[in-house]
Coordinates of all heavy atoms in Angstrom, one line a residue:
Chain A
S265 N -13.5 -7.9 3.8 CA -12.4 -7.7 4.7 C -11.3 -8.8 4.5 O -10.2 -8.6 4.8 CB -12.8 -7.7 6.1 OG -13.5 -8.9 6.5
T266 N -11.8 -10.0 4.1 CA -10.8 -11.0 3.8 C -10.4 -10.9 2.4 O -11.2 -10.8 1.5 CB -11.4 -12.4 4.0 OG1 -11.9 -12.5 5.3 CG2 -10.4 -13.5 3.7
P267 N -9.1 -10.8 2.2 CA -8.6 -10.6 0.8 C -9.1 -11.7 -0.1 O -9.1 -12.9 0.2 CB -7.1 -10.7 0.9 CG -6.8 -10.4 2.3 CD -8.0 -10.8 3.1
A268 N -9.6 -11.3 -1.2 CA -10.2 -12.3 -2.1 C -9.2 -13.2 -2.6 O -9.5 -14.4 -3.0 CB -10.9 -11.6 -3.3
S269 N -7.9 -12.7 -2.6 CA -6.9 -13.6 -3.1 C -6.5 -14.6 -2.1 O -5.7 -15.5 -2.4 CB -5.7 -12.7 -3.5 OG -5.3 -12.0 -2.4
S270 N -6.9 -14.4 -0.9 CA -6.5 -15.3 0.1 C -7.1 -16.7 -0.2 O -8.3 -16.9 -0.5 CB -7.1 -14.8 1.5 OG -7.0 -15.9 2.4
P271 N -6.3 -17.7 -0.1 CA -6.7 -19.0 -0.4 C -7.9 -19.5 0.6 O -8.7 -20.3 0.2 CB -5.5 -19.9 -0.1 CG -4.3 -18.9 -0.3 CD -4.8 -17.6 0.2
C272 N -7.9 -18.9 1.7 CA -8.9 -19.3 2.7 C -10.3 -18.9 2.2 O -11.3 -19.4 2.6 CB -8.7 -18.6 4.0 SG -7.2 -19.2 4.8
S273 N -10.4 -18.0 1.3 CA -11.7 -17.5 0.9 C -12.1 -18.1 -0.5 O -13.0 -17.8 -1.1 CB -11.7 -16.0 0.7 OG -10.7 -15.6 -0.3
T274 N -11.3 -19.0 -0.9 CA -11.6 -19.6 -2.2 C -12.0 -21.0 -2.1 O -11.5 -21.7 -1.2 CB -10.3 -19.5 -3.1 OG1 -9.3 -20.3 -2.5 CG2 -9.9 -18.1 -3.4
P275 N -12.8 -21.5 -2.9 CA -13.3 -22.9 -2.8 C -12.2 -23.9 -2.9 O -12.2 -24.9 -2.2 CB -14.2 -23.0 -4.0 CG -14.6 -21.6 -4.4 CD -13.4 -20.8 -4.0
S276 N -11.2 -23.5 -3.6 CA -10.1 -24.5 -3.8 C -9.4 -24.8 -2.5 O -8.8 -25.8 -2.4 CB -9.1 -24.0 -4.9 OG -8.6 -22.8 -4.5
S277 N -9.4 -23.8 -1.6 CA -8.7 -24.1 -0.4 C -9.3 -25.2 0.4 O -8.6 -25.8 1.3 CB -8.7 -22.8 0.5 OG -10.0 -22.5 0.8
S278 N -10.5 -25.5 0.1 CA -11.1 -26.6 0.9 C -10.6 -27.9 0.5 O -10.8 -28.9 1.2 CB -12.7 -26.6 0.7 OG -12.9 -26.8 -0.7
T279 N -9.9 -28.0 -0.6 CA -9.3 -29.2 -1.0 C -8.0 -29.5 -0.3 O -7.4 -30.5 -0.4 CB -9.1 -29.2 -2.5 OG1 -8.1 -28.2 -2.8 CG2 -10.4 -29.0 -3.2
R280 N -7.5 -28.5 0.4 CA -6.2 -28.6 1.0 C -6.3 -29.5 2.2 O -7.3 -29.5 3.0 CB -5.8 -27.2 1.5 CG -4.3 -27.1 1.9 CD -3.9 -25.6 1.8 NE -5.0 -24.7 2.3 CZ -5.0 -24.4 3.5 NH1 -4.2 -24.8 4.4 NH2 -6.0 -23.6 3.9
T281 N -5.3 -30.3 2.4 CA -5.2 -31.2 3.6 C -4.0 -30.9 4.4 O -2.9 -31.4 4.2 CB -5.2 -32.6 3.1 OG1 -4.1 -32.7 2.2 CG2 -6.5 -33.0 2.4
P282 N -4.1 -30.0 5.4 CA -3.0 -29.5 6.1 C -2.3 -30.7 6.9 O -1.1 -30.6 7.2 CB -3.6 -28.5 7.1 CG -5.0 -28.2 6.6 CD -5.4 -29.4 5.8
D283 N -3.0 -31.7 7.2 CA -2.4 -32.7 8.0 C -1.4 -33.5 7.3 O -0.4 -34.0 7.8 CB -3.5 -33.7 8.5 CG -4.5 -33.0 9.4 OD1 -4.2 -31.9 9.9 OD2 -5.6 -33.5 9.5
A284 N -1.6 -33.7 6.0 CA -0.6 -34.6 5.3 C -0.3 -33.9 3.9 O -0.7 -34.4 2.9 CB -1.2 -35.9 5.0

Side-chain angles (χ1 to χ4, degrees):
Chain A
S265 60
T266 301
S269 58
S270 165
C272 292
S273 61
T274 60
S276 59
S277 64
S278 61
T279 63
R280 193 159 40 89
T281 53
D283 296 341

